[in-house]
Amino acid sequence: MRHAQIRSRVAGKFVVTTHSDHDFEFSPTLLAHDFSTGQLSRAWVSDITSIATAKGWLYLTVVIDLGNRRVIGWLMSSGMKASQTVYPALKMALKNRAPRLGTIFHSDRGIQYSGEEFRKMLAQNPELKQSMSRKGDCWDNAVAESFFKTLKVENIYGRKFEDRNQAKNSIFEYIEFWYNRFKMHQKSVISPYSHENSFSPASMATARVFSSGGMGQA
């Protein structure tokens, strides 16, 4: 690497997006580090991360199906309220993939996932069972964290976005035209879309046609 003048990309500035110091209730941990489901819609994981631009922070919320690691819901916004992040991201996920009875929806203990607004949305979809990471255990949501690390190393670190729209366009292309369609995953050695075709007809019944709409508002 020294001879070829190659160096690895390093992590950028870290910004906390999980605020769990609140009075809302926490849901129990149902996932228990079981990230290899073998089925579509057995478990979804969600998280929020931040991306720096010259015009302010951009927040990306994702919902990932552990069955094939496809990002089935996502939303980019300039704010961190539930109505700007987790609510529309889950709405998109429900358009792209039907949950089955008992589908686990796992996240951290942040206020966006714990608040009344989001819990009401989950109650409107009784197939979903809410699950949250244990206090201080980042491994409970390792798949979502791993996705953010991959996204930032491959598409964000070392770049300077002039504004949120430039960052949105770049992230949109990464998620929908690279990660979901072509990115090979260590577990399956194929992309999420290709992996999706390997499931049984019963599992595929939960899949839905891609629905865009996660660009959000600046």
Side-chain angles (χ1 to χ4, degrees):
M1 289 177 66
R2 285 195 299 269
H3 180 74
Q5 296 184 341
I6 298 173
R7 64 185 179 86
S8 62
R9 290 181 177 175
V10 296
K13 184 177 180 181
F14 177 75
V15 175
V16 175
T17 56
T18 302
H19 299 285
S20 57
D21 185 15
H22 52 74
D23 296 327
F24 295 111
E25 294 183 6
F26 298 121
S27 296
T29 302
L30 305 177
L31 198 56
H33 293 190
D34 181 9
F35 305 126
S36 301
T37 67
Q39 292 180 319
L40 297 179
S41 284
R42 193 194 73 79
W44 300 351
V45 296
S46 181
D47 203 355
I48 305 171
T49 194
S50 58
I51 297 95
T53 80
K55 298 293 180 64
W57 290 101
L58 177 70
Y59 300 100
L60 170 65
T61 308
V62 298
V63 179
I64 300 171
D65 189 330
L66 291 185
N68 65 338
R69 306 299 172 89
R70 176 185 166 191
V71 180
I72 58 174
W74 50 272
L75 194 286
M76 291 179 278
S77 63
S78 58
M80 290 185 62
K81 294 181 179 179
S83 59
Q84 299 170 294
T85 55
V86 297
Y87 193 98
L90 177 56
K91 187 175 180 180
M92 180 179 176
L94 291 168
K95 288 182 178 179
N96 286 333
R97 180 148 303 162
R100 62 176 73 234
L101 185 63
T103 296
I104 295 173
F105 183 92
H106 184 83
S107 69
D108 59 33
R109 298 155 64 97
I111 192 170
Q112 294 91 345
Y113 297 101
S114 303
E116 294 179 2
E117 182 179 15
F118 189 67
R119 289 185 185 273
K120 286 179 180 178
M121 185 176 184
L122 290 178
Q124 294 170 1
N125 298 273
E127 303 91 346
L128 297 174
K129 295 192 301 183
Q130 189 172 28
S131 169
M132 289 183 177
S133 299
R134 288 161 290 195
K135 185 177 182 179
D137 191 343
C138 61
W139 295 107
D140 277 344
N141 208 16
V143 172
E145 296 285 353
S146 177
F147 168 76
F148 286 148
K149 180 180 178 180
T150 300
L151 163 71
K152 292 183 177 182
V153 168
E154 294 186 349
N155 190 57
I156 294 175
Y157 292 152
R159 302 182 63 182
K160 294 182 179 180
F161 295 113
E162 295 180 2
D163 53 34
R164 293 185 180 96
N165 285 333
Q166 185 182 48
K168 285 180 180 181
N169 290 333
S170 179
I171 295 168
F172 167 77
E173 291 180 359
Y174 180 87
I175 293 175
E176 290 301 340
F177 297 108
W178 168 243
Y179 184 88
N180 277 345
R181 298 177 185 274
F182 298 106
K183 174 74 175 178
M184 292 191 296
H185 290 260
Q186 185 177 6
K187 293 291 184 181
S188 59
V189 202
I190 53 178
S191 72
Y193 271 31
S194 298
H195 193 194
E196 201 160 283
N197 294 329
S198 69
F199 285 98
S200 66
S203 292
M204 282 301 296
T206 66
R208 290 176 173 169
V209 177
F210 163 70
S211 172
S212 63
M215 298 295 281
Q217 299 179 349

